[in-house]
Amino acid sequence: MRTKLVLILLCISTAASAQKLKKAEKEVLTNIQQHVAHLADDKLEGRRAGSKGEELAMQYIAEQFRAAGLAPKGTQEYFQAFDINDGKQIGPETFLSINDHQLKPGTDFFPLSFSPDGRINAMPAIALVEDDMPWFVDLSEIIKANSHNPHFDLADYIRTNAKKAADKQATAIVLYNTSDVEDKLAFDPKDRSEATPIPVIYVSRDVAKRFFSDPTSSFEINLNVSIVARKRTGHNVVGYIDNGAPTTVILGAHFDHLGYGEDGNSMMRTGEKQIHNGADDNASGTAALIELGRILKTSKAKKNNYLFIAFSGEELGLFGSKYFTQNPTIDLAAANYMINMDMVGRLKDSTKALTIGGYGTSPQWASVIQPAKKGFFNINIDSSGAGPSDHTSFYRKDIPVLFYFTGTHSDYHKPSDDFDKINYVGEVMIIQHIRQLIEALDKQGKLSFLKTREQQVSVTPFKVTLGIMPDYSFTGAGVRVDGVTDGRPAAKAGIKAGDVVTQLGDRVISDMETYMKALNGFSKGQKTMVKFKRGNEEKTADIEF
C-alpha cells in the first residue's frame, strides 16, 4: 500500500510550499516525510506496543539516532524494555480430571477469571451439598428466570453465591448449563475484580452431559486452578547528546499506536479488523523527535545535554514514560525541562493554530512563548502540566514541561490516519519553533518549576466527575489515583495521589470500566460515599457531585 511512488507524489504535492523553505528546512521536510512514511507503513501493522510492528519501529528509530550521532542511553543500548500487563490468562498448570478422564483447559472447562488458585482432590456427589466438598450448580434455572431482566449480571450472581458457598464450607464451585439458552460465560482476561474465596470452574455442555446427567452419581475430581499474569514487553528508545553540561533537556514523543485496535481504543465501531497506521498519532511527533536529534547534535546550544526518548505504551496509559521516570537512565534531578510532541502533523493552513500545553509549569516559558505576538503560528496556550500524553509523567516529577499539539481531527484513532494527510511544511515550522526555543533558553540555566491545575481528560461525557486522573498502568483491583483536581469531590474528600478508589456508593470499583459505569450512575448534586485505600489502610468519606 505504501510505495516509493506515493512518497514521490507526496513530495511533488508539497513542492510549492517547500519552495518557501530554506535549504536546511527543505532537508528537514524530506526527512520527516520519509520518517512518517516508514513508521506509518502497513508493514508495521499499527505499531501496537509489544508487537512485531513496535519492534520494527524501534529498530528504525534506533538506526536514525545512531546515524545522527546520538549515543545510546537505554538499559540495553538504545532500548529500555518494560512490562505491559495484559490482564490474566489460564496458567499451564491448570487441569481437571473426572474419574481419571483428563479434560482440556479452555475447551472442556475453564476457571472463571475471578477464581483463586487452588488444588482439590475429592469424591463429591452431584446432588449432595456437603462440607469440604465441591458443589455443583446447573445454571439453567437461574438463566431462564432472569432471561427478561436487563439488570441481571450472571457473573455478579456467581461471585456473590461463590462467597456464600465458601461461608458454608464448600471447597469449589463447578458450574454447567443444561439449558438451550446461551450463558455467554467466558474467561475474561481483563477482569480485575476481587477473587472469590474458592475456585470456580465452568464445564462445557458435552462434559456436563457425559458426567452430570445422573444426579445420583458421584466421582473422583482432581482439580488445579492456576491463573497467571499475561504480559507483553514494550520498549522505549533513548538517545543522548552529552555536552558535559550540568543539566539535561529532555525531548520526547510516543511512537506506539493502536495496531488493529485490539486494545479497544479504536474510534471505529464496525468491528472490522483494519490497520491503524497512526501517521499523525504519533509518527509525526516521532519524526520531529528524530530530526531534532539530528539538528541539536550540531547546534551551538551546548549549555545543556539532550536526551531523546521515543516512548511506547502511551496509547495504553503512558506506560513507557511512567516507566522511564520511575527507572531513569539519567539523574532526573539534573533535568532542566521536557518537551513532548504528540500529534504535530495536522497544522491547518487556514488558521495555523498550534496549542502549547504546560505553559504554567515554569515562569520562564513566558520569555520564549508569546501567544499575542504575530508570527507563523497562532499559538493557543494551556497552562496545565498534566494532560493525555507523556509530558504528564515528567510534570509529576516536578520538571517543567511543554506539550506541542496541532489538534484532533476526524481521523483520530481511525485507520484513516495516514501519512498523505500530514501537513509536512507545518511540521517543519514546529520543529524550527522548538529548536529556536531551546537555543533561546540555552544560557538561562535551570528553569524554575511551578505546580498547575489538573486537566480533566475524558472521552466519555459523564454527568459528574470525581476529579481524579487515573493511573492507567495500575493492575490491581480498583482505580489508583495519579493526580487530584483542586476543588473537586476527590480533593474535598481528602483523596491523594497514590490512593486506590475501591467503591462509589454501593458500586464496587475493580477497574476503569466499573469506575466509569459507577460515575454514569450519579447526577450533579447527588451525595454518596467513596471508599479508598491508602497503603493498607481503608478510608471512607462522604462526597457530593
Side-chain angles (χ1 to χ4, degrees):
M1 179 179 176
R2 300 289 171 255
T3 65
K4 291 183 179 179
L5 175 60
V6 178
L7 182 57
I8 290 169
L9 291 174
L10 179 61
C11 293
I12 293 172
S13 71
T14 58
S17 297
Q19 294 303 316
K20 302 175 184 177
L21 301 178
K22 299 175 184 177
K23 181 179 179 181
E25 292 170 337
K26 290 178 183 179
E27 183 181 4
V28 173
L29 177 71
T30 300
N31 289 345
I32 61 173
Q33 286 174 335
Q34 291 175 345
H35 298 327
V36 174
H38 184 95
L39 293 168
D41 194 291
D42 284 355
K43 292 179 182 178
L44 274 66
E45 296 185 287
R47 309 187 307 277
R48 181 177 182 245
S51 70
K52 180 66 177 177
E54 185 220 49
E55 182 181 346
L56 293 172
M58 74 188 211
Q59 294 289 351
Y60 176 82
I61 296 165
E63 288 169 8
Q64 297 302 316
F65 282 179
R66 186 179 292 108
L70 275 58
K73 204 64 174 177
T75 50
Q76 294 178 310
E77 288 292 310
Y78 289 98
F79 308 124
Q80 182 187 44
F82 58 91
D83 286 338
I84 298 170
N85 190 298
D86 216 13
K88 306 174 181 179
Q89 61 184 353
I90 300 171
E93 296 179 355
T94 296
F95 63 81
L96 172 63
S97 66
I98 301 177
N99 290 342
D100 291 329
H101 292 279
Q102 194 77 24
L103 303 179
K104 187 177 181 180
T107 302
D108 298 326
F109 79 99
F110 59 85
L112 275 295
S113 49
F114 46 77
S115 178
D117 291 355
R119 181 160 190 168
I120 295 163
N121 188 273
M123 295 189 68
I126 295 175
L128 296 181
V129 177
E130 300 177 281
D131 291 355
D132 299 319
M133 285 288 178
W135 291 6
F136 297 83
V137 179
D138 185 349
L139 296 171
S140 59
E141 292 303 320
I142 189 66
I143 292 171
K144 289 177 181 177
N146 289 277
S147 59
H148 299 295
N149 179 1
H151 303 293
F152 178 69
D153 188 312
L154 182 57
D156 283 343
Y157 170 85
I158 293 169
R159 273 191 291 261
T160 300
N161 283 275
K163 293 175 184 177
K164 292 178 181 178
D167 291 341
K168 295 178 180 179
Q169 308 308 310
T171 58
I173 299 293
V174 180
L175 304 170
Y176 57 101
N177 178 14
T178 60
S179 74
D180 294 329
V181 182
E182 289 293 330
D183 51 57
K184 297 181 181 179
L185 288 175
F187 183 86
D188 179 6
K190 299 297 185 182
D191 178 61
R192 279 167 43 191
S193 59
E194 184 181 358
T196 51
I198 56 177
V200 182
I201 65 168
Y202 179 91
V203 300
S204 70
R205 278 189 172 86
D206 289 341
V207 172
K209 185 177 180 180
R210 180 179 178 183
F211 291 103
F212 304 159
S213 295
D214 182 0
T216 65
S217 63
S218 61
F219 30 70
E220 182 180 9
I221 281 187
N222 194 3
L223 168 68
N224 188 61
V225 172
S226 173
I227 296 176
V228 298
R230 185 173 69 177
K231 294 182 179 180
R232 46 189 158 120
T233 302
H235 295 83
N236 295 325
V237 189
V238 192
Y240 188 57
I241 298 174
D242 186 357
N243 290 322
T247 53
T248 298
V249 171
I250 302 170
L251 295 100
H254 78 89
F255 72 95
D256 67 304
H257 196 52
L258 311 189
Y260 290 91
E262 300 97 319
D263 296 308
N265 41 14
S266 172
M267 297 300 287
M268 292 291 288
R269 306 301 186 209
T270 61
E272 185 180 354
K273 184 179 179 180
Q274 295 185 56
I275 297 173
H276 293 63
N277 281 317
D280 187 29
D281 188 13
N282 185 36
S284 66
T286 306
L289 179 73
I290 293 169
E291 281 306 288
L292 282 164
R294 186 182 62 81
I295 292 166
L296 291 172
K297 179 64 179 174
T298 58
S299 172
K300 294 180 180 180
K302 303 292 186 182
K303 299 296 184 182
N304 290 282
N305 310 311
Y306 299 101
L307 189 73
F308 302 83
I309 315 175
F311 303 107
S312 189
E314 190 272 352
E315 298 289 6
L316 301 173
L318 315 187
F319 273 63
S321 58
K322 176 164 287 190
Y323 184 84
F324 182 87
T325 55
Q326 293 171 348
N327 304 273
T329 59
I330 63 164
D331 181 6
L332 284 187
N336 192 344
Y337 56 87
M338 188 270 182
I339 296 178
N340 180 35
M341 297 157 284
D342 192 350
M343 296 176 63
V344 292
R346 291 291 193 96
L347 188 76
K348 293 181 174 64
D349 287 326
S350 57
T351 63
K352 291 187 169 55
L354 173 65
T355 297
I356 303 179
Y359 187 80
T361 60
S362 177
Q364 282 98 325
W365 291 138
S367 68
V368 287
I369 301 173
Q370 299 167 346
K373 188 176 180 180
K374 289 186 177 180
F376 184 84
F377 301 108
N378 291 313
I379 296 175
N380 302 312
I381 60 168
D382 182 349
S383 65
S384 179
S389 193
D390 291 304
H391 59 286
T392 301
S393 299
F394 293 85
Y395 167 72
R396 301 231 179 276
K397 295 295 183 180
D398 294 346
I399 297 171
V401 298
L402 288 179
F403 171 35
Y404 279 72
F405 175 59
T406 54
T408 58
H409 43 76
S410 60
D411 299 308
Y412 174 72
H413 277 203
K414 293 179 181 177
S416 51
D417 181 10
D418 271 321
F419 82 112
D420 52 347
K421 297 181 180 179
I422 300 298
N423 181 346
Y424 289 99
V425 173
E427 183 167 341
V428 169
M429 302 312 293
I430 291 171
I431 292 170
Q432 293 293 70
H433 187 275
I434 294 171
R435 177 189 62 79
Q436 291 165 6
L437 180 147
I438 290 171
E439 291 177 346
L441 289 171
D442 186 50
K443 297 180 181 179
Q444 287 201 21
K446 200 167 190 287
L447 272 59
S448 304
F449 173 76
L450 295 174
K451 284 280 187 185
T452 68
R453 63 179 174 80
E454 293 285 351
Q455 183 184 27
Q456 289 293 299
V457 180
S458 174
V459 297
T460 306
F462 296 121
K463 294 178 286 184
V464 299
T465 177
L466 189 60
I468 65 170
M469 284 194 70
D471 177 357
Y472 291 94
S473 66
F474 181 60
T475 58
V479 171
R480 186 162 63 189
V481 179
D482 213 17
V484 181
T485 304
D486 291 339
R488 298 295 177 94
K492 293 177 181 179
I495 294 175
K496 300 178 180 179
D499 292 346
V500 179
V501 178
T502 58
Q503 190 168 336
L504 275 177
D506 60 356
R507 298 166 173 86
V508 175
I509 308 299
S510 59
D511 52 21
M512 276 302 299
E513 184 176 355
T514 53
Y515 171 67
M516 291 188 289
K517 286 181 179 178
L519 279 182
N520 278 326
F522 293 99
S523 299
K524 191 174 181 180
Q526 276 189 291
K527 296 179 180 180
T528 190
M529 70 87 184
V530 59
K531 282 187 180 180
F532 57 96
K533 288 182 178 178
R534 181 169 296 160
N536 294 323
E537 183 183 4
E538 186 169 81
K539 293 176 173 285
T540 303
D542 294 325
I543 59 171
E544 180 177 352
F545 289 111

